[in-house]
Amino acid sequence: MRPATALVLCAALASTALLSGCGKETAGTAASPGATCASLAPLPDPAGRTWDDVRVISGKCGPSGAPSTGFEVTNTDQEPLTFTVTFSLVNGFGEAMDTITRTVEAVEPGQTVRRPLDAADGPGSARSYRARIMKVRAVPADGAPTGDGACPSSGVRITNDRGDAAMGLRVVGIHLTNCSTADYELNGYPALRLLGEDRKPVSGVRILRGTTAISTGIGGDAEPRPVTLRPGESAYANLAWRNTTTDGDPVDAPYAEVTAKPGAAPVTVTPELDLGTTGRLGVGPWTKAPAGEGAPQE
């Protein structure tokens, strides 16, 4: 399986690396790696620690210079990207002990950024877990959620939740929050373009208005109504599908370009659509979220 775009992502692993002592996350370039991940060198390539162009490297990522664990991303695309990387932490017997996710925001074209992987236990921990890359997602930085709370230039944040699954039925919410200082108007359905692992368009999927054809009672079968979002208010639209697999090749679309309304700029989110061979995705209308209820965490 290939990573999300033409990129190089490197997980920095010491041979017996502790996930502690990595200090504050620090960005750098290939020529100037930054204080927290110095003296990087290739390691042997054991099974389970590669991801296409991902290579394993080791370094002294802690402020004390002790061996520790970090990772590196290089954006080889033509636009700034925000990377989200999921790691599995395994012990010396190869048993998965935990899963962690790290986000690297707004990596410029050609830029390399190195970050540590900190452990909750802190310095002196006896935990000696290794990190394995499980998943890499990269979306255009413009419109992507930002950790510092900055509002995108569009004036809205668009995200997806983790969704719900039961007996082959999947439901994921697309959430839009007005982070500007003016009202934001919605009416109708978000427009979607499904993208594969390589962020290229996926074909052969019918996008339906409403979710009734997929299942009833899941919050996407009402008629669309005008929605006015004041600053700080949110709206959502449910996506529904079944992941049944029969004849043919199953379709996976980890990414979706969401256009909130005509004329709006598309924003790429990661709903992780495992559509099976059903070839259908139902999209509910924009619905105003109850007062005080913002977009949930992904």
Side-chain angles (χ1 to χ4, degrees):
M1 183 178 292
R2 298 195 60 84
T5 186
L7 60 91
V8 179
L9 173 87
C10 304
L13 304 172
S15 57
T16 57
L18 295 177
L19 293 180
S20 60
C22 268
K24 185 178 180 180
E25 295 186 346
T26 303
T29 64
S32 176
T36 57
C37 291
S39 304
L40 297 168
L43 276 180
D45 185 19
R49 297 213 316 240
T50 61
W51 182 295
D52 280 353
D53 294 329
V54 177
R55 63 189 178 94
V56 177
I57 55 178
S58 68
K60 298 177 180 179
C61 288
S64 65
S68 54
T69 300
F71 67 105
E72 176 182 274
V73 297
T74 299
N75 180 7
T76 60
D77 209 295
Q78 302 301 309
E79 63 179 327
L81 297 175
T82 289
F83 294 86
T84 300
V85 188
T86 303
F87 298 90
S88 175
L89 305 184
V90 300
N91 63 18
F93 297 99
E95 300 168 326
M97 306 301 293
D98 200 0
T99 300
I100 60 174
T101 300
R102 294 290 182 265
T103 298
V104 185
E105 299 170 0
V107 182
E108 296 294 331
Q111 183 184 19
T112 295
V113 177
R114 289 174 181 160
R115 296 285 174 88
L117 275 174
D118 294 318
D121 292 330
S125 168
R127 296 170 68 177
S128 55
Y129 299 153
R130 294 173 179 266
R132 292 178 178 171
I133 298 170
M134 297 176 62
K135 182 171 64 177
V136 181
R137 296 291 180 251
V139 301
D142 186 22
T146 57
D148 60 6
C151 187
S153 58
S154 63
V156 296
R157 292 191 189 94
I158 298 178
T159 59
N160 63 271
D161 59 35
R162 294 177 179 175
D164 231 342
M167 298 185 65
L169 176 64
R170 305 282 194 264
V171 181
V172 166
I174 302 296
H175 300 267
L176 182 151
T177 299
N178 180 8
C179 55
S180 72
T181 58
D183 289 353
Y184 192 83
E185 306 288 340
L186 293 168
N187 190 2
Y189 302 85
L192 296 185
R193 187 169 74 136
L194 307 187
L195 308 176
E197 192 87 23
D198 55 1
R199 289 200 289 126
K200 303 294 185 184
V202 169
S203 60
V205 178
R206 291 175 57 206
I207 297 180
L208 311 175
R209 289 196 165 189
T211 59
T212 304
I214 306 298
S215 183
T216 59
I218 56 177
D221 47 8
E223 289 296 319
R225 301 175 62 183
V227 174
T228 299
L229 299 179
R230 294 182 174 85
E233 293 184 331
S234 298
Y236 66 91
N238 284 335
L239 311 184
W241 72 97
R242 294 188 180 275
N243 73 334
T244 309
T245 300
T246 53
D247 295 332
D249 296 325
V251 173
D252 291 319
Y255 299 93
E257 272 188 359
V258 180
T259 302
K261 61 182 180 179
V267 174
T268 304
V269 296
T270 54
E272 306 288 345
L273 304 173
D274 56 340
L275 297 165
T277 55
T278 59
R280 298 193 306 171
L281 174 67
V283 181
W286 286 118
T287 302
K288 192 170 185 176
E293 183 178 310
Q297 296 295 317
E298 290 188 52

